[in-house]
Amino acid sequence: MKHRRITKRRTAIAGAAAAAVVGAAFTLQSATATPAPPRAADLLSAPAAAKLASSVTSDLRGDTAGAYYDTEARKLVVNVVDKAAADKVREKGAVAKVVQHTLAELKEARTTLSDKATIPGTSWSVDPRKNKIVVTADRTVKGGKLRKLDTVLDSLGSKVALQRTSGEYRPFVAGGDAITSGGGRCSLGFNVTVGGEPAFITAGHCGKKGSEWSADGAAIGAMEDSQFPGNDFALVKYSGDAEHPSAVNLYNGSTQKITKAAEATVGQKVKRSGSTTQVHGGEVTGLNETVNYSEGTVEGLIKTNVCAEPGDSGGALFAGSSAVGLTSGGSGDCSAGGTTFFQPVPEALEEFGAEIG
């Protein structure tokens, strides 16, 4: 098993996209005045907000404390810890929000959690809206495990917040299109090319290097690489001469064309396609999530409120024509809802030297 590699892209996202923006213009008005509607030129799309977040956090470096996208106001909100940084943020066209904790303080708290609270059934990531690390514990965290977790959280004070989920964190093994190997079923993520040769990416926990894969009863290829835990991605090289369109199955007789890979942004609207529950939508709620499955810890995941179930593993998380993530695991189901985690696609492509297509 390969050790997880921290890429430059993920490091940038941990600083830039770990922030969120809540829109509200800081313009003084009289008590009776009616606020003027925002100009179309001042509104940002989710991709534009992600690009601006990267630029702002890069320029201000340690003076920012995360950012997020306010979907209703269509603005980028950047957390800062002093007035001087707030002025710089506004000059760049984003909304400044003065908060208590710096990213360095939250990073130190994450290190403490990793050292002292790596307990199966827990996860955590920075929530830029709350300026805290939100730690989630599933239903298996009780008794001595819960007491241990509470002790660590108490030591971190206002930098952390605990929430519980009634489900149980597990990889979704059991699917866009269904793919099978050795009696197990997962879902194909995205078709890619490696050195001009066709392949696809899926979840690493779905199978081991060298495993043979089939679709609709026909052999389609062998797994060239698989990484789990640490990461959760795998590469399967196609065999044969069949067509491999760069598209996601929408399970309504049509497909969504995929033209590129993109980083996720907190607040972004996304959809997931899998062979068990087909297509469901929701929102990105966290980035750089650390998830402690019983099989081991996976870091750097995307957290969403999109539902998924066993067999959806490896399936596509996308936003329009952009490939965003590969279904990893989570809790709940598509009847009651739940939390689902996704391996970011750009990191998998970088690791394999692959391109969407």
Side-chain angles (χ1 to χ4, degrees):
M1 182 65 67
K2 294 184 179 180
H3 292 292
R4 177 176 174 271
R5 190 165 58 85
I6 304 295
T7 64
K8 293 181 180 179
R9 177 179 287 110
R10 178 172 288 178
T11 302
I13 292 303
V21 184
V22 174
F26 294 99
T27 303
L28 297 178
Q29 301 184 31
S30 69
T32 58
T34 300
R39 299 177 302 169
D42 295 331
L43 302 179
L44 294 174
S45 65
K51 185 175 181 179
L52 178 58
S54 180
S55 172
V56 171
T57 55
S58 176
D59 290 348
L60 274 66
R61 302 192 178 187
D63 292 335
T64 64
Y68 62 94
Y69 181 55
D70 181 353
T71 55
E72 293 187 2
R74 294 180 62 185
K75 292 281 189 178
L76 177 71
V77 179
V78 178
N79 294 339
V80 296
V81 293
D82 58 52
K83 183 179 182 300
D87 291 340
K88 293 178 182 177
V89 166
R90 294 182 194 120
E91 288 174 2
K92 289 183 169 291
V95 176
K97 179 182 178 183
V98 179
V99 295
Q100 179 181 3
H101 303 297
T102 66
L103 277 182
E105 291 172 335
L106 296 180
K107 182 179 179 180
E108 184 178 358
R110 286 188 67 132
T111 300
T112 299
L113 288 168
S114 296
D115 291 344
K116 300 181 178 181
T118 299
I119 300 167
T122 61
S123 69
W124 52 76
S125 67
V126 174
D127 185 336
R129 293 185 175 107
K130 296 180 179 179
N131 188 228
K132 297 176 183 288
I133 296 174
V134 175
V135 179
T136 305
D138 72 12
R139 66 187 180 192
T140 69
V141 181
K142 52 189 176 182
K145 293 198 297 184
L146 182 57
R147 288 192 294 273
K148 177 181 178 181
L149 180 61
D150 284 340
T151 298
V152 176
L153 296 184
D154 286 344
S155 73
L156 295 173
S158 63
K159 292 188 285 290
V160 297
L162 176 66
Q163 64 183 25
R164 298 301 303 261
T165 177
S166 59
E168 179 180 347
Y169 286 162
R170 66 202 189 283
F172 290 129
V173 183
D177 288 336
I179 52 175
T180 59
S181 177
R185 175 168 60 86
C186 275
S187 297
L188 190 151
F190 298 95
N191 283 326
V192 299
T193 59
V194 181
E197 297 297 318
F200 68 82
I201 52 176
T202 187
H205 71 262
C206 287
K208 303 292 186 182
K209 181 178 179 179
S211 56
E212 298 289 335
W213 288 83
S214 301
D216 295 326
I220 58 172
M223 193 164 279
E224 291 279 313
D225 194 0
S226 177
Q227 298 186 29
F228 177 82
N231 293 309
D232 195 3
F233 49 62
L235 177 73
V236 176
K237 288 284 189 71
Y238 279 114
S239 57
D241 300 320
E243 292 289 330
H244 308 293
S246 185
V248 172
N249 189 349
L250 298 180
Y251 287 93
N252 60 3
S254 67
T255 61
Q256 169 63 59
K257 186 176 181 180
I258 300 297
T259 62
K260 60 184 179 295
E263 302 285 2
T265 304
V266 173
Q268 182 181 20
K269 300 296 184 182
V270 289
K271 291 183 178 180
R272 176 198 55 74
S273 178
S275 62
T276 299
T277 59
Q278 301 183 0
V279 179
H280 288 270
E283 181 178 304
V284 174
T285 58
L287 298 173
N288 201 24
E289 186 89 7
T290 296
V291 182
N292 298 301
Y293 297 124
S294 59
E295 295 86 349
T297 299
V298 181
E299 297 181 305
L301 298 182
I302 302 165
K303 182 180 182 181
T304 76
N305 58 15
V306 184
C307 72
E309 297 181 10
D312 288 327
S313 276
L317 182 74
F318 58 100
S321 61
S322 296
V324 177
L326 303 169
T327 308
S328 175
S331 66
D333 55 41
C334 287
S335 295
T339 297
T340 303
F341 305 107
F342 298 84
Q343 166 71 53
V345 165
E347 185 188 7
L349 297 180
E350 183 177 339
E351 177 70 16
F352 297 137
E355 297 179 346
I356 291 292

